[in-house]
Amino acid sequence: AQVFSFSAMRFSTASSAAVDHQKSLRVTNLIGGQFTESRAQSVIDVLNPATQEVVSQVPLTTNEEFKAAVEAAKKAFPSWKNTPVTTRQRVMLKFQELIRRDIDKLAMNITTEQGKTLRDAHGDVFRGLEVVEHACGMGTLQMGEYVSNVSSGIDTYSIREPLGVCAGICPFNFPAMIPLWMFPVAVTCGNTFILKPSEKDPGAAMMLAELAMEAGLPDGVLNIVHGTNDVVNNICDDSHIKAISFVGSNTAGMHIYARGAANGKRVQSNMGAKNHAIVMPDANVDATLNALVAAGFGAAGQRCMALSTAVFVGGSQSWEEGLLERAKALKVSAGTEPDADLGPVITKQAKSRICKLIQSGVDNGARLILDGRDIVVPGYESGNFVGPTILADVTSNMECYEEEIFGPVLLCMQADSLEEAINIINRNKYGNGASIFTTSGVAARKFQHEIEAGQVGINVPIPVPLPFFSFTGSKASFAGDLNFYGKAGVQFFTQIKTVTQQWKDLPGQGVSLAMPTSQ
Ligand code: NAD
């Protein structure tokens, strides 16, 4: 029972009265199947990062509305849990079809609110779509285990059951993919869900929620509340919420991990990164340079798996010209421009933070061989653009190295040997991903074996696993035990019940108080 269409609203022309216009920009919550406007007085403007145009306004959901969302999710749980897994899968099967139907609209919304290029925005949706496709096999994925005759006439089996109400808290950089990492797996396991999209770009999550409802997800199975710290803290504290999926920065992630766990919840928390590539002298030159530039500057460096640091074994000098040439050739413009390679960064604050970290590198003795700070994009003069930037001779004590920059900045470091390069990476606190570029199997194997990172690429720059594996960040990039999607994702959203059954004619054996043992 939808009373309001977010996508229709988003693309409608402005109404005559300014007041109505203000009102129509408001993003709704989704509570118990109703897309309803929040009563909140406070809103946050969602700005197009290429133009500063106000695209929509996100309400700071009130406590009452949050409680209503939890109630709706609680109410929907018993019948959704008892809905056959085949039916739940079929909703996902329809959902993936609808995402494909609307992928252009979704991508346009992402580009408008987040800034990435349209092509990259398609990828954002597509990588999430793959998780929905994977969830279509939930019957197999959540299979339990069975051992017959563990003792005479006794069998033991385990069943994976949903937890109840689960929640997801999302970052700004993948407005479609990250929500799709979370709720499709959770609800197909039989849970109900409360999603808190990023307040910076909630549009794609709303469109996906509409599609999920159109696909047949019953009222209350997926609920959406907007806001920032207060609503997140409500999620951490509410005793009816059993599990929290978080993706975002370390500050927020560790807070949510600690507060959620203190309230008895399971939490999976994917956080920040500093991903390195080791470049061996024997690496294929062209392929390696192309990979470094694509993975360093794609999405304006706002990917948790962006390659932000290249460690050149044997020196970077011979690689710098090729890097420069390729980076300079990239076109920086609004993501809607067909020839744009990278768009703006998310906010003015993000731009100034990135520029500050670049300057700190220069102040600490790094060599700025390409400076994108003063870029002006014709037609988009007020956009938050940072052009590709390369800092060479970076060392591990520099602030620009210690901090996650999350912008189009590639740091170049040097090492005398593979051993030294591996040590540099292993000393870094983050452990999301790391790659090696080499034609030596021996070097590749040593790297794979010794590197302390959750996702390892060998001649692959951004090794984000497909959904039949899991996204496996480690060290400070992840907190929790069960990773996102894949087998671990299903385990995260289910709990095990182990049943021991005895079906045999029971001869009278008398009472024995000794510990039962297998007979
Ligand atoms: P963020 O932490 O600022 O925001 C993420 C979410 O947390 C938002 O919904 C926000 O409202 C909420 N939040 C922020 N601060 C909070 C606080 N103090 N208390 C409670 N809630 C809070 O992150 P972001 O800037 O949106 O995203 C960028 C970060 O996400 C980067 O660090 C990036 O590496 C990381 N990221 C990690 C992965 C991964 O899989 N490891 C994937 C994507 C992004």
Side-chain angles (χ1 to χ4, degrees):
Q2 283 172 233
V3 293
F4 173 83
S5 165
F6 184 80
S7 44
M9 177 207 82
R10 275 279 293 102
F11 299 107
S12 68
T13 49
S15 65
S16 50
V19 169
D20 284 353
H21 177 68
Q22 283 302 104
K23 219 175 161 198
S24 72
L25 286 177
R26 282 234 183 171
V27 182
T28 61
N29 285 324
L30 168 60
I31 299 174
Q34 304 287 325
F35 288 88
T36 44
E37 211 168 273
S38 168
R39 291 170 181 277
Q41 297 299 316
S42 316
V43 292
I44 298 171
D45 287 341
V46 174
L47 302 178
N48 179 331
T51 62
Q52 310 307 322
E53 171 210 1
V54 179
V55 181
S56 61
Q57 293 183 317
V58 177
L60 300 185
T61 300
T62 65
N63 289 344
E64 291 66 36
E65 289 159 351
F66 169 74
K67 283 196 190 115
V70 176
E71 273 310 309
K74 256 174 67 189
K75 193 166 154 232
F77 179 62
S79 81
W80 183 241
K81 176 188 173 187
N82 287 321
T83 300
V85 65
T86 43
T87 305
R88 299 198 300 250
Q89 285 181 160
R90 271 182 214 116
V91 174
M92 286 300 121
L93 207 57
K94 184 70 187 167
F95 185 35
Q96 64 79 33
E97 184 192 321
L98 298 178
I99 293 172
R100 282 172 200 279
R101 184 194 72 192
D102 284 2
I103 195 163
D104 290 342
K105 279 196 227 165
L106 282 156
M108 181 55 88
N109 181 282
I110 292 170
T111 299
T112 308
E113 294 188 356
Q114 199 274 351
K116 62 179 73 176
T117 65
L118 272 174
R119 214 166 134 230
D120 203 32
H122 267 90
D124 187 330
V125 182
F126 195 84
R127 293 304 298 261
L129 172 70
E130 289 174 325
V131 180
V132 182
E133 290 171 344
H134 192 61
C136 294
M138 191 55 73
T140 310
L141 294 171
Q142 68 169 34
M143 267 183 186
E145 294 173 327
Y146 194 108
V147 177
S148 174
N149 220 34
V150 291
S151 186
S152 175
I154 295 182
D155 316 310
T156 298
Y157 53 97
S158 64
I159 305 164
R160 291 209 158 267
E161 294 194 329
L163 305 171
V165 182
C166 301
I169 300 161
C170 305
F172 78 84
N173 65 329
F174 284 100
M177 181 182 80
I178 306 275
L180 292 174
W181 279 6
M182 297 173 174
F183 77 82
V185 181
V187 303
T188 318
C189 285
N191 300 288
T192 55
F193 207 78
I194 296 180
L195 185 75
K196 206 296 281 175
S198 169
E199 65 279 11
K200 298 193 175 81
D201 46 21
M206 295 311 295
M207 293 170 83
L208 289 167
E210 277 197 7
L211 297 181
M213 300 297 286
E214 187 182 339
L217 208 61
D219 292 354
V221 172
L222 172 64
N223 303 274
I224 300 193
V225 291
H226 299 284
T228 56
N229 302 14
D230 288 348
V231 75
V232 168
N233 287 336
N234 278 338
I235 289 173
C236 294
D237 295 347
D238 194 293
S239 62
H240 303 293
I241 294 175
K242 305 298 176 203
I244 305 175
S245 251
F246 170 82
V247 180
S249 66
N250 282 65
T251 314
M254 287 316 295
H255 165 72
I256 291 163
Y257 184 73
R259 191 157 171 163
N263 285 305
K265 303 180 202 319
R266 46 174 86 172
V267 184
Q268 53 175 191
S269 186
N270 267 13
M271 298 175 286
K274 196 85 180 174
N275 305 311
H276 300 67
I278 293 180
V279 180
M280 298 299 286
D282 62 8
N284 178 303
V285 176
D286 211 38
T288 303
L289 288 169
N290 289 344
L292 291 179
V293 168
F297 303 126
Q302 298 175 115
R303 291 183 184 136
C304 62
M305 288 294 277
L307 261 189
S308 53
T309 308
V311 187
F312 294 93
V313 173
S316 64
Q317 217 77 34
S318 64
W319 297 88
E320 285 177 15
E321 202 184 308
L323 269 183
L324 255 178
E325 192 188 305
R326 284 166 177 76
K328 277 184 179 167
L330 296 175
K331 168 101 186 219
V332 182
S333 191
T336 42
E337 294 296 328
D339 53 350
D341 291 305
L342 57 149
V345 297
I346 187 74
T347 56
K348 294 244 171 275
Q349 293 87 325
K351 175 171 174 164
S352 81
R353 188 180 163 275
I354 293 163
C355 292
K356 218 177 99 231
L357 284 166
I358 295 169
Q359 188 56 42
S360 82
V362 175
D363 295 344
N364 287 313
R367 219 164 14 98
L368 187 59
I369 61 174
L370 184 62
D371 185 357
R373 287 176 293 179
D374 294 328
I375 191 165
V376 177
V377 176
Y380 299 97
E381 287 76 7
S382 54
N384 317 321
F385 294 98
V386 182
T389 298
I390 304 176
L391 279 164
D393 298 343
V394 170
T395 51
S396 29
N397 55 352
M398 293 182 185
E399 192 191 358
C400 66
Y401 175 76
E402 287 168 346
E403 294 294 316
E404 180 184 37
I405 300 180
F406 224 55
V409 184
L410 183 65
L411 306 183
C412 298
M413 302 176 81
Q414 323 213 10
D416 289 335
S417 63
L418 174 58
E419 194 81 41
E420 188 191 335
I422 290 174
N423 285 338
I424 290 174
I425 300 177
N426 286 352
R427 278 198 301 268
N428 191 281
K429 69 175 172 184
Y430 293 111
N432 223 26
S435 300
I436 188 167
F437 291 89
T438 183
T439 46
S440 157
V442 176
R445 190 175 185 284
K446 178 179 169 70
F447 173 78
Q448 176 242 286
H449 193 67
E450 295 180 11
I451 204 71
E452 291 168 8
Q455 291 157 121
V456 173
I458 296 171
N459 296 315
V460 173
I462 311 183
V464 177
L466 284 162
F468 17 90
F469 293 94
S470 297
F471 188 100
T472 50
S474 64
K475 291 164 55 179
S477 299
F478 179 69
D481 330 87
L482 293 168
N483 296 101
F484 279 74
Y485 61 78
K487 288 193 187 99
V490 175
Q491 287 165 10
F492 180 76
F493 285 117
T494 52
Q495 57 197 331
I496 304 177
K497 186 181 270 176
T498 311
V499 182
T500 300
Q501 66 176 3
Q502 174 171 257
W503 290 113
K504 63 175 181 183
D505 292 330
L506 302 170
Q509 286 174 332
V511 177
S512 167
L513 272 60
M515 185 73 175
T517 53
S518 176
Q519 315 255 327

